[in-house]
Amino acid sequence: AATAPRIPATRLALHHFDTSYSLHLGALWPSVRAGLLCEQKYGALLNNFAAADHVPEELELLDATDFISEASQKMQQWQRGAGEAASGCQEGSEMSPPLCASISSKIKCYTFPRGDITRFRPARPDGLGLLDYYLMDAASLLPVLALNVQPDDFVLDLCAAPGGKTLALLQTGFCGHLAANDVSVSRTKRLYQILHSYVPREVRDTVSVTSYDGRDWDQVKGGTFHKVLVDVPCTTDRHSAMEEDNNIFHKRRTKERQMLPMLQLQLLMAGILAARPGGAVVYSTCSLSPLQNECVVE
């Protein structure tokens, strides 16, 4: 143990990805691999609670665009092309894409064009101290859009910290009540910081922040939520391939990594039990692993 060469966790992660994802993704893997190893590209989630009407114009002058609006426009073109302009979003339509109902939400997230990794300026406070936007991976908004929150929905974010998706859920303006839970007390503190930096007090009062073990949630408030987001802990592939700090591919965390699919399954089951009859659950990860995605859902 003392003389064996120390292999960086990032190298172990990349070797694991090369072995498993190359089989899973085939010819797509080289471009996906390059994407994982590129510098992270952020989106700017506009804060609807801040007095920052000038921000969209400022960002557009920098050649950034709201990718959600662009998706909505592409969807309309798709509907026209498919002859579904009138009925594409109706229940039961087999042709409607999955984000049909929610893509026109109040959420706005600006990104720079493909291939442009320009950094956004740091967020600035308005007159009341609320920051004008939140920088996050734009893909993190997809589970929130898929959840399709409706007015006065009771919403549970079961693994909420550090808080980007919780903040995005609040941007819809639809949450009648939002329960934001995370088992990590230290990460929950980060969630509190985000809420205080971006959300006025009267809206924060509609949010309950807890630090329960998400696997036991149904014993706390089972069968009560219209919408449940289960964004589970995972191998966080980009972080694993790029950062040594807190890397789940460290050898001391081997057992923890091997047990991830079981933890994810338990969290998903708890999320399902937390939803009321007729409710909706969205399960998401930031991993490409079929064991952590399709196999858990199956």
Side-chain angles (χ1 to χ4, degrees), residues 39 140 165:
E39 183 176 349
S140 294
K165 294 181 181 69

Side-chain angles (χ1 to χ4, degrees), residues 31-135:
S31 61
V32 174
R33 187 184 196 272
L36 278 180
L37 296 175
C38 283
E39 183 176 349
Q40 187 166 5
K41 180 175 179 175
Y42 288 94
L45 172 67
L46 292 195
N47 184 13
N48 294 326
F49 303 115
D53 295 340
H54 63 285
V55 174
E57 182 179 356
E58 176 188 331
L59 295 177
E60 287 165 8
L61 287 173
L62 296 174
D63 203 26
T65 56
D66 174 19
F67 88 89
I68 299 176
S69 295
E70 286 186 339
S72 179
Q73 293 171 5
K74 289 178 180 177
M75 181 179 300
Q76 291 172 6
Q77 294 172 359
W78 178 90
Q79 289 173 336
R80 284 196 294 269
E84 295 289 332
S87 60
C89 286
Q90 291 178 1
E91 185 176 354
S93 170
E94 295 181 359
M95 295 292 288
S96 57
L99 300 184
C100 195
S102 60
I103 204 77
S104 59
S105 71
K106 299 177 183 178
I107 298 175
K108 295 186 181 300
C109 184
Y110 280 79
T111 58
F112 290 109
R114 184 173 183 172
D116 183 346
I117 55 172
T118 302
R119 289 186 175 273
F120 289 96
R121 62 158 174 80
R124 296 171 184 160
D126 67 2
L128 297 176
L130 298 177
L131 297 178
D132 52 7
Y133 55 62
Y134 178 77
L135 297 179

Side-chain angles (χ1 to χ4, degrees), residues 20-21 24 264 287-298:
S20 58
Y21 294 168
H24 177 54
Q264 293 160 342
S287 170
L288 297 166
S289 167
L291 286 176
Q292 299 175 64
N293 290 296
E294 294 95 326
C295 292
V296 170
V297 173
E298 287 174 14

Side-chain angles (χ1 to χ4, degrees), residues 100-275:
C100 195
S102 60
I103 204 77
S104 59
S105 71
K106 299 177 183 178
I107 298 175
K108 295 186 181 300
C109 184
Y110 280 79
T111 58
F112 290 109
R114 184 173 183 172
D116 183 346
I117 55 172
T118 302
R119 289 186 175 273
F120 289 96
R121 62 158 174 80
R124 296 171 184 160
D126 67 2
L128 297 176
L130 298 177
L131 297 178
D132 52 7
Y133 55 62
Y134 178 77
L135 297 179
M136 65 189 302
D137 190 319
S140 294
L141 287 176
L142 299 180
V144 174
L145 293 170
L147 202 58
N148 191 19
V149 179
Q150 297 298 304
D152 299 322
D153 273 353
F154 276 48
V155 182
L156 169 62
D157 189 353
L158 191 61
C159 309
K165 294 181 181 69
T166 302
L167 180 61
L169 286 166
L170 291 173
Q171 297 303 313
T172 66
F174 287 162
C175 297
H177 176 74
L178 175 59
N181 177 76
D182 199 278
V183 68
S184 169
V185 175
S186 61
R187 284 165 58 87
T188 302
K189 289 180 180 177
R190 170 65 177 150
L191 174 58
Y192 271 117
Q193 291 172 352
I194 287 178
L195 291 175
H196 279 80
S197 298
Y198 288 89
V199 182
R201 184 168 188 171
E202 62 272 17
V203 178
R204 291 202 304 269
D205 288 343
T206 68
V207 182
S208 59
V209 179
T210 54
S211 294
Y212 297 116
D213 185 329
R215 293 172 290 184
D216 302 327
W217 184 269
D218 62 294
Q219 300 174 24
V220 184
K221 293 180 182 177
T224 57
F225 293 93
H226 299 94
K227 302 290 169 62
V228 180
L229 176 59
V230 187
D231 183 57
V232 293
C234 65
T235 48
T236 52
D237 291 355
R238 180 191 293 277
H239 180 274
S240 295
M242 298 287 282
E243 302 287 342
E244 283 295 312
D245 184 46
N246 199 32
N247 194 313
I248 200 166
F249 280 86
H250 279 297
K251 294 208 170 179
R252 66 178 180 273
R253 300 184 71 185
T254 299
K255 183 73 172 177
E256 179 186 353
R257 188 177 75 251
Q258 291 172 342
M259 293 301 293
L260 271 176
M262 180 57 68
L263 170 63
Q264 293 160 342
L265 175 61
Q266 292 168 334
L267 287 167
L268 177 54
M269 289 300 299
I272 292 170
L273 292 172

